[in-house]
Amino acid sequence: MPNDTITLSAVPRLRGTIAVPGDKSISHRAVMFNAVAEGNARITNFLTGADCLSTIGCMQALGVQIERSGSDVQVFGRGLRGLRAPASILDCGNSGTTIRLLTGLLAGQNFSATLTGDDSLRSRPMLRVVEPLRRLGAQIDGDEHGKRAPLTIQGQTLHGGEIELTVASAQVKSALLLAGLLADGPLVLFGKIVSRDHTERMLSAMGVDLRVEDDRITLYPPAHPVFPYPLSLRVPGDPSSATFWWVAAAIHPDAEITTTGVCLNPTRTGALDVLRAMGAQITISNQGKEGQEPVGDVTVRSAPLTATEIGGDLIPRLIDEIPVLAVAAAHAHGTTIVRDAGELRAKESDRIATVATELTKLGATVTPTADGLIIEGGGELHGADVESYGDHRLAMTLAVASLTAEGNMTIADPSSASVSYPTFWEHLSQLAD
Ligand code: S3P
């Protein structure tokens, strides 16, 4: 694959079975949480994308021994108080999950550390974690008084308390829960607590006393040093990665794709609900459990699609999938409206702007709004020179759009896909073969 551009065109059919790589959110957490566990753990099917490797690099720089062989990872936990001051600035690369969760984990340590990342990460909002952590007693400074990275965290004694979450963000929720592990009293979170819940599931399985009710989450800091227990696990397949193939199969006139072992945690399956509502033909089989997470195989076949509305409580359940769902909407009969998704502007790129700009280049009729997109479906897409803005999900979204577009599409910077899906281009060739 050329490093700088890739040229693609429509394929006559799509067929095959793909085991998408391990889930990004769970991979980050498996390494980070086990790094502060009291013992050793083995993680299999770990996502070897650049983002999760940033988490490994940071935890190693904090004194944790981590050995990786492909997607097998051994973490030698050092306990909640066992991390060491890093010798230099911690580089979180492109990864929002790494920087935000680490900010919470480091807030209550007895040393100081500085976290930074690439241009995209340094432009993303950090006050959403910094401000509530400060209310627990954290001392965090950063660019524009903590609005942006680099962030310097001077470890402090943290206090428990009640914090209202004002953004439905699993990164913010998780940062606070990690800080709460080291606080001197219980932490209660209320407000927008519904977002992906891998942190809650994993910490509970590690023996942390964490209680989830409809409107609040309460975490009691472990009183006994045996907690958290180490947790060996196999990471289930990433539904955010699988959605590229679900949309590809749904829009293509001759397609049948099965993705195996995908995480079907209900906080992550909004894209399946939307595709079903649009008329996609979806079958779920081999349902089971992988550790704390429900999993299954998902098969999608070609079907005519109709427009839908995407908003409200659905948004946190499919926030990362909206770019590729916009491609499905461009193929659907009618006008699809995405609303309540202003969070898209705070992702690896401003995904409201970048999705609208790039899909418009392909002939789609897409209007960006303050908090979403309006997509007039039904027109034919055509090839063009398009950009990924270094945003992995945009690169893969455009590749999916090429599968039915008329003429050639050249995507700049396709290698950004490796942030979350290092084998994306190989899987694409496999399915089109
Ligand atoms: C993630 C949470 C989401 C998501 C990101 C991964 C996580 O971000 O977009 O890709 O692992 O907690 P927000 O918490 O900012 O919504």
Side-chain angles (χ1 to χ4, degrees), residues 24-25 29 97 100 169-171 196 319-320 347:
K24 181 157 80 70
S25 296
R29 287 161 172 78
T97 307
R100 295 201 180 107
S169 159
Q171 292 177 357
R196 65 193 68 194
I319 188 72
D320 292 338
K347 297 296 176 187

Side-chain angles (χ1 to χ4, degrees), residues 23-26 28-29 51 96-98 100-101 124 128 167-174 195-196 198-199 240 268 316 319-321 343 346-348 351 392-393:
D23 185 75
K24 181 157 80 70
S25 296
I26 296 173
H28 282 298
R29 287 161 172 78
D51 267 14
T97 307
T98 309
R100 295 201 180 107
L101 268 60
R124 294 177 65 186
R128 53 181 56 203
V167 206
S169 159
Q171 292 177 357
V172 175
K173 176 173 63 176
S174 303
S195 55
R196 65 193 68 194
H198 309 300
T199 296
S240 301
R268 299 290 300 282
I319 188 72
D320 292 338
E321 290 71 78
E343 274 296 298
K347 297 296 176 187
E348 288 82 333
R351 287 184 179 154
H392 54 129
R393 299 208 195 277

Side-chain angles (χ1 to χ4, degrees), residues 1-11 383-386 398-399 402 407-414 425 428-429:
M1 185 190 70
N3 207 23
D4 50 345
T5 65
I6 190 167
T7 299
L8 304 166
S9 53
V11 297
D385 287 353
V386 286
L398 293 166
S402 80
N408 287 340
M409 181 185 302
T410 299
I411 306 173
D413 197 11
W425 301 105
L428 180 64
S429 318

